[in-house]
Amino acid sequence: MACLHDHSCEDHDCSSDWGLYKHIDIPKVSALNEASPGSVKTVFKAWEQRLNSSEGFLESNEGDPELIVFIPFTSDVKIKSISIVGGADGTSPSKMRAFINREGIDFSDAQSMQSIQEWDLAENLQGVLEYQTRYSRFQGVGNLTLHFPDNYGGDTSRIQYIGLKGEATQLKRDVVATIVYELMPNPSDHK
């Protein structure tokens, strides 16, 4: 397995580094401008499966390469780097912008809001490139929105895999149940 990391993959298990997909709340993942509704859920998979397109891929609508991907997590995570495996023939995204802990971002928001970080993407068909985050800014991430404004000239943008490297905290993102105690009159309070 080829890797553009600072180690030999034979001596190191690369797949465990990309394990944040286990902390993604897949049923709540969504995308804007996806040609096939729900297909975005197929791009989150184990590192070993990153080149397996038979499970599906995310593709934008014809003639409109822009995509937004919303990724909620089941616990807060720290994200060290992101890997994107795009499509061939100019359909790979050429730029990626990230927003954290912001829900409901649409295309006009994504165009006008300041992203936390931006990357120019290379065509990464083998899944060996990773894009480092400004790690100090990617702490306590409850959700991540990725905006792909353009591609390498194709009619559509295609994403086969999104990998997130980092670690999860133990803080689960569950609904917090609160109990309200009614104040009962205390007879000793009254004369």
Side-chain angles (χ1 to χ4, degrees):
M1 164 172 23
C3 240
L4 297 182
H5 307 139
D6 56 359
H7 61 263
S8 160
C9 282
E10 284 73 42
D11 306 330
H12 188 275
D13 178 15
C14 287
S15 63
S16 65
D17 291 342
W18 295 95
L20 280 184
Y21 85 95
K22 297 174 191 159
H23 300 280
I24 296 170
D25 195 347
I26 299 289
K28 294 181 182 167
V29 167
S30 61
L32 296 181
N33 198 34
E34 62 183 328
S36 176
S39 62
V40 66
K41 294 170 177 35
T42 66
V43 303
F44 299 99
K45 48 196 159 196
W47 170 255
E48 299 81 17
Q49 298 298 312
R50 73 192 180 285
L51 301 180
N52 182 355
S53 61
S54 66
E55 293 177 24
F57 52 85
L58 170 62
E59 189 164 29
S60 68
N61 284 305
E62 188 75 28
D64 185 1
E66 193 172 11
L67 284 166
I68 289 180
V69 177
F70 175 71
I71 310 160
F73 298 97
T74 57
S75 63
D76 283 353
V77 298
K78 301 174 185 177
I79 303 171
K80 293 180 184 170
S81 59
I82 302 171
S83 179
I84 305 292
V85 177
D89 304 319
T91 62
S92 282
S94 59
K95 185 183 267 304
M96 175 173 66
R97 304 173 73 232
F99 303 90
I100 63 169
N101 299 334
R102 298 292 299 263
E103 293 188 33
I105 292 176
D106 62 20
F107 290 109
S108 63
D109 294 333
Q111 296 292 344
S112 63
M113 288 170 46
Q114 180 68 39
S115 62
I116 195 159
Q117 190 170 351
E118 294 187 17
W119 298 264
D120 289 321
L121 303 179
E123 290 182 280
N124 181 27
L125 304 181
Q126 300 306 309
V128 294
L129 299 176
E130 61 183 283
Y131 299 93
Q132 302 298 316
T133 64
R134 292 187 191 112
Y135 191 55
S136 63
R137 293 185 178 186
F138 285 80
Q139 309 282 316
V141 178
N143 64 65
L144 174 68
T145 301
L146 296 177
H147 176 221
F148 301 96
D150 210 351
N151 64 13
Y152 280 94
D155 280 345
T156 63
S157 287
R158 182 183 279 205
I159 297 174
Q160 185 171 307
Y161 171 79
I162 297 176
L164 301 169
K165 183 188 276 190
E167 57 189 90
T169 65
Q170 298 309 308
L171 299 172
K172 293 285 185 203
R173 289 227 158 228
D174 294 329
V175 175
V176 177
T178 56
I179 300 170
V180 177
Y181 292 97
E182 290 190 28
L183 293 173
M184 298 295 293
N186 185 342
S188 67
D189 289 345
H190 304 288
K191 297 275 184 228

